[in-house]
Amino acid sequence: MPNAQPPASHFIDGRYVEDTAGAPIDCTYAATGEVIARLHAATPAIVEQALASATRAKAEWAAMTGTQRGRILRRAADILRERNHDLSVLETLDTGKPYSETSVADATSGADALEYFGGLAGSLTGEHIQLGDDWVYTIREPLGLCVGIGAWNYPTQIACWKGAPALACGNTMVFKPSETTPLSALKVAEILTEAGAPSGVYNVVQGMGDVGAALVSDPRVAKVSLTGSVPTGRKIYAAAAADMKHVTMELGGKSPLVIFADADIEDAVSGAILGNFYSTGQVCSNGTRVFVERTIREAFVARLVERLKGVVMGDPLDPATTYGPMVSERQLKIVEGFIAKGIEEGATLAHGGKRVDRPGFFLEPTVFTAVTDSMTIATDEIFGPVLSVLDFDTEDEVLARANDTPFGLAAGVFTKDLARAHRMVKGFEAGTCYINSYNLAPVEAPFGGMKLSGVGRENSKLAINHYSQMKSVYVGMGPVEAPF
Ligand code: NAD
């Protein structure tokens, strides 16, 4: 049995901290169902320690130059890359995702964020605005103490996507990973400290929703960034409103992927696979409503099913494995419930649909055809390996149907007609769009949702505006005129 027990549950003020009075959090390896680590949720005393530490650290961190802060972030990026193998094994143990994915998509994308925002840190500025003889200058200031709250699908990446821009701008952070995947964020905190981040700049506390809620409602906190579901987002946004805290909300989706008859079918099938089965379908931006032009639907489904037979399901630590288990028994049961609903509501099960007879939480990659817009599998976020094929005939029709959802995280189109591709993208009500590609999220590009899928953007230069605020300074150069 692999042992992934960290030195302690929390990382506060530059060191590991334990309080066994907190409720136990068992960390289960999804490929076997074995408990590989036991941690404890933060008690109120631990939450207080973390908030006090991050509050204390604010002044020293903000007083450093951006270049100094950036150097530390870039050093942390280098360490993440040097230790990619060990960190990827840990991420696989934490999430169940296969090593073939974690070794290229988790610590590496966390490192990208630390490197990118580390590089930007030295060039963050305000501006000078001349107004005749008078002038205005703006000072870019950190927000202060930021709270990050993570989902369980990309624990290392989420810890870095929130931490890197926050720290680059001179903020400090208390990060709470998902209780389902508590291990990797501790490593991020440890590595940032090793890279030179002063104690208290980046802290990690464990816990369930109540710990998150305690962090969000604390008046010392200036900003909350959540990656999670819409219901949790609503609660956190409401709690943050009490003190007018800044928020970033990276929430769920039910994204459309539109495939026109003139598309390269092999590429479109690849896009549908990336947008539905990578990370066993546990990706927020997945294109789970696959609209296929009626004339090519049969050919598309036949090729998709054939390619899915090539899935290598097995031990996620074996580099040859390409498809792992779901993160937990609970998530597996939720997805099984959606599959049953799909069958009950009359969709055709074209592939998969069953739990795999082996230890762990393995579920076959699943494809439904003859799905209609109102079926539950076409309206609700499933967050698992379930692809729905919907037929369409015209561009106007498919765009209207693609947008007929309260979510707006992502959308994709496959076609060789470039004018049509850009028309579709202009019409999509989604924050992240793809033309002849799907589910790539480079740190250089803004990432985030419209409508219920979120508020604010992560990554890219835009994230800087979500982790800093402008002070505007009017400088009078002449006599002061007053009306009386
Ligand atoms: P979740 O909403 O159940 O939990 C997210 C986090 O919020 C967890 O750490 C949880 O402990 C915490 N939390 C729960 N209640 C809270 C409260 N009242 N106050 C403060 N914190 C609270 O989500 P999940 O099941 O962990 O993750 C799956 C969801 O995340 C899906 O909806 C998925 O689409 C979404 N997601 C979005 C993105 C994105 O970037 N848009 C990325 C990954 C996942």
Side-chain angles (χ1 to χ4, degrees), residues 111-414:
D112 284 354
L114 289 161
E115 184 172 10
Y116 178 83
F117 288 106
L120 278 185
S123 53
L124 301 179
T125 58
E127 62 178 341
H128 166 268
I129 305 156
Q130 194 69 43
L131 299 164
D133 287 336
D134 289 357
W135 48 288
V136 167
Y137 68 97
T138 60
I139 308 172
R140 186 180 291 279
E141 295 189 346
L143 300 174
L145 196 178
C146 299
V147 161
I149 298 181
W152 42 258
N153 57 345
Y154 282 83
T156 306
Q157 183 185 84
I158 294 170
C160 293
W161 278 18
K162 299 190 187 308
L167 269 49
C169 292
N171 305 283
T172 61
M173 177 160 272
V174 176
F175 184 79
K176 190 199 84 64
S178 164
E179 57 273 32
T180 311
T181 54
L183 302 176
S184 301
L186 291 168
K187 283 284 171 200
V188 172
E190 197 186 310
I191 287 169
L192 278 164
T193 303
E194 188 180 334
S199 300
V201 164
Y202 189 92
N203 309 276
V204 172
V205 297
Q206 309 293 349
M208 281 58 102
D210 59 328
V211 172
L215 292 170
V216 172
S217 59
D218 193 278
R220 287 166 288 187
V221 172
K223 171 180 178 126
V224 183
S225 177
L226 167 73
T227 297
S229 62
V230 171
T232 304
R234 283 202 171 100
K235 283 187 216 158
I236 293 183
Y237 205 170
D243 300 315
M244 295 297 168
K245 290 177 175 123
H246 297 247
V247 296
T248 298
M249 295 280 151
E250 291 289 348
L251 309 177
K254 190 72 195 175
S255 302
L257 176 57
V258 178
I259 296 165
F260 284 96
D262 67 350
D264 179 307
I265 295 258
E266 209 55 31
D267 281 348
V269 168
S270 296
I273 288 173
L274 287 175
N276 282 276
F277 302 115
Y278 199 74
S279 299
T280 318
Q282 303 162 116
V283 179
C284 52
S285 48
N286 272 357
T288 47
R289 290 182 296 142
V290 181
F291 291 94
V292 184
E293 195 165 342
R294 198 178 304 273
T295 52
I296 59 155
R297 190 239 300 135
E298 256 175 59
F300 175 87
V301 172
R303 186 63 188 132
L304 174 66
V305 167
E306 198 180 323
R307 295 259 307 262
L308 288 178
K309 289 183 185 145
V311 152
V312 181
M313 196 186 304
D315 174 6
L317 289 169
D318 179 345
T321 297
T322 56
Y323 182 86
M326 306 228 43
V327 74
S328 64
E329 178 80 31
R330 180 173 173 269
Q331 190 63 20
L332 173 65
K333 288 254 152 51
I334 292 172
V335 178
E336 282 183 314
F338 278 109
I339 292 171
K341 198 91 179 149
I343 294 167
E344 186 190 311
E345 292 180 5
T348 306
L349 186 61
H351 186 75
K354 290 190 302 297
R355 183 171 187 164
V356 181
D357 184 20
R358 55 173 295 157
F361 317 129
F362 288 85
L363 180 67
E364 292 172 335
T366 298
V367 177
F368 278 107
T369 55
V371 179
T372 58
D373 294 356
S374 59
M375 288 180 184
T376 308
I377 55 171
T379 57
D380 291 20
E381 184 184 47
I382 297 175
F383 221 61
V386 182
L387 180 158
S388 293
V389 176
L390 303 99
D391 305 335
F392 76 91
D393 296 298
T394 71
E395 185 181 319
D396 287 349
E397 168 215 333
V398 77
L399 183 60
R401 290 170 62 199
N403 286 334
D404 188 15
T405 166
F407 298 107
L409 191 54
V413 56
F414 275 83

Side-chain angles (χ1 to χ4, degrees), residues 17 30 109 198 225 272 310 456:
V17 177
S109 78
S225 177

Side-chain angles (χ1 to χ4, degrees), residues 422-444:
H422 293 291
R423 271 197 311 273
M424 288 293 291
V425 162
K426 183 152 190 302
F428 280 145
E429 296 166 359
T432 306
C433 295
Y434 297 95
I435 296 175
N436 296 332
S437 62
Y438 205 80
N439 253 1
L440 303 165
V443 68
E444 295 87 348

